[in-house]
Amino acid sequence: MEETPEHLIIRYLTKEATATETEMLRRWLAQSAANQKIFNEYAESWQHAAALAPTFAVAENLQKLNALIDQEEKQSKRKVTLFWSAAAAVVLLLSVGLLLFRQAQPVNRDYAERITAKGQKLTLRLADGTTVKLNANSSLKFPEQFDSKKREVYLQGEAFFDVAHNPEKPFLIHSKNVTTQVLGTSFNVRSRHATTEIAVRTGKVNVFSNQQSQLLLPQQKIICDGATWRVEQTSLNRELAWTNNEILIEDQPLAQVARVLEEWYGIKIQLGNDAMATCRVTGSFKNEPLENVLKAISL
């Protein structure tokens, strides 16, 4: 039985994981539902440990342990001994938080998290009947049961939502510093790097932050880049092509296309020179192997 990579989980939860470590964790999660369940328990414990057991100073201790791990990995001495000592201490802290959480919280407030690796997609059905298609290299955090007043989820990456209509309980998606609110509609949210994009297929969508808000209608898209928001008409065929396992490229620079292919196929693409990055490409590919896509683009 494969050992649980506690050090990767710890660094991910404390937001100290490198890009390589995050990718290693995503690949481990993609191996089985059992791995996903283990991660969910750690995430649940971490979420509530600091609030329910502040005297343990969980966050501060985890940061110190991570610093020690980094230091020892660089020196390559006593790494194994230190790792297991650190892992044991962290597991103890998380276990205490998890125990206190389960004693203090009702079951219906438990949160689950689904994470996809590069090249992997996932379809979820939430407790209220909402369907979510999670794109590659993304994560969705959601309660196993929604509360009586609202439905809230947390997204990193990209997902298409087909929200079950319920005028009594608004549905909210938190992504970076932007929140998307609906009652029942379908739309796509892409939140990567510093930019969040929302494209609406049906219904009305309200996008807001602490500083501003914007109502979107079908065929509209908003691009939120910090304090700069831009609304435009959009092609839903292009925005939602990924939900049908299709790559649709419409006059896009090769650098942007490369990023799409990296997430789609789980590989790393390096362009030969800077001039290639600005070359514009148009084409569509459905269920095509990477080799065929690259050959077509090279033409």
Side-chain angles (χ1 to χ4, degrees), residues 16-293:
E16 295 182 359
T18 64
T20 300
E21 290 172 331
T22 300
E23 180 60 25
M24 291 172 61
L25 178 60
R26 290 183 186 277
R27 292 186 180 279
W28 178 77
L29 288 169
Q31 290 175 5
S32 68
N35 290 354
Q36 185 73 63
K37 182 178 180 182
I38 292 171
F39 175 83
N40 291 343
E41 291 178 353
Y42 274 91
E44 178 183 276
S45 177
W46 168 245
Q47 179 186 2
H48 298 278
L52 296 174
T55 56
F56 287 98
V58 177
E60 297 175 13
N61 284 308
L62 286 177
Q63 291 175 356
K64 292 178 181 178
L65 289 170
N66 274 311
L68 286 173
I69 291 173
D70 288 340
Q71 179 181 354
E72 288 298 322
E73 286 181 343
K74 291 178 181 179
Q75 297 176 353
S76 70
K77 295 180 180 180
R78 297 185 299 111
K79 180 167 61 175
V80 174
T81 301
L82 178 63
F83 163 71
W84 286 114
S85 298
V90 170
V91 169
L92 176 61
L93 288 170
L94 292 178
S95 298
V96 170
L98 179 58
L99 176 62
L100 292 174
F101 163 67
R102 287 177 173 172
Q103 291 176 343
Q105 294 291 326
V107 175
N108 63 359
R109 297 304 299 274
D110 288 353
Y111 273 76
E113 186 169 15
R114 297 292 182 269
I115 299 176
T116 55
K118 290 183 178 180
Q120 178 194 27
K121 298 180 180 64
L122 182 65
T123 299
L124 307 170
R125 187 173 179 85
L126 305 185
D128 66 329
T130 292
T131 300
V132 183
K133 292 185 177 181
L134 195 61
N135 204 352
N137 195 28
S138 303
S139 67
L140 183 71
K141 183 177 179 182
F142 56 93
E144 295 181 357
Q145 294 292 332
F146 293 108
D147 65 31
S148 60
K149 295 182 179 180
K150 57 186 176 181
R151 300 169 285 173
E152 288 185 286
V153 301
Y154 300 83
L155 172 69
Q156 294 184 21
E158 183 171 16
F160 174 76
F161 293 85
D162 192 351
V163 178
H165 185 71
N166 187 341
E168 304 299 324
K169 295 173 65 173
F171 195 100
L172 298 101
I173 301 99
H174 301 285
S175 51
K176 298 189 184 297
N177 296 323
V178 175
T179 298
T180 306
Q181 178 178 341
V182 299
L183 298 177
T185 183
S186 58
F187 55 97
N188 195 75
V189 180
R190 182 186 300 116
S191 184
R192 300 197 187 278
H193 308 293
T195 303
T196 297
E197 302 178 12
I198 298 99
V200 181
R201 187 178 73 173
T202 61
K204 298 179 181 179
V205 170
N206 184 34
V207 181
F208 62 90
S209 66
N210 292 333
Q211 292 78 30
Q212 53 190 320
S213 65
Q214 177 68 49
L215 181 66
L216 298 178
L217 300 176
Q219 308 290 326
Q220 286 187 328
K221 170 183 176 179
I222 189 170
I223 302 172
C224 306
D225 187 2
T228 303
W229 289 18
R230 183 174 77 255
V231 178
E232 59 186 38
Q233 295 298 120
T234 189
S235 166
L236 292 181
N237 288 335
R238 182 182 68 248
E239 299 291 342
L240 303 180
W242 72 267
T243 64
N244 296 316
N245 292 322
E246 182 180 3
I247 303 174
L248 184 58
I249 306 169
E250 296 180 346
D251 194 33
Q252 294 173 271
L254 189 56
Q256 182 178 347
V257 174
R259 289 193 295 269
V260 172
L261 297 180
E262 286 179 342
E263 293 179 354
W264 195 276
Y265 292 100
I267 47 88
K268 179 65 176 178
I269 295 178
Q270 183 174 355
L271 301 181
N273 54 66
D274 294 339
M276 293 178 62
T278 59
C279 293
R280 308 194 75 85
V281 180
T282 296
S284 63
F285 309 93
K286 187 168 185 177
N287 297 322
E288 289 285 350
L290 176 61
E291 182 180 3
N292 291 352
V293 176

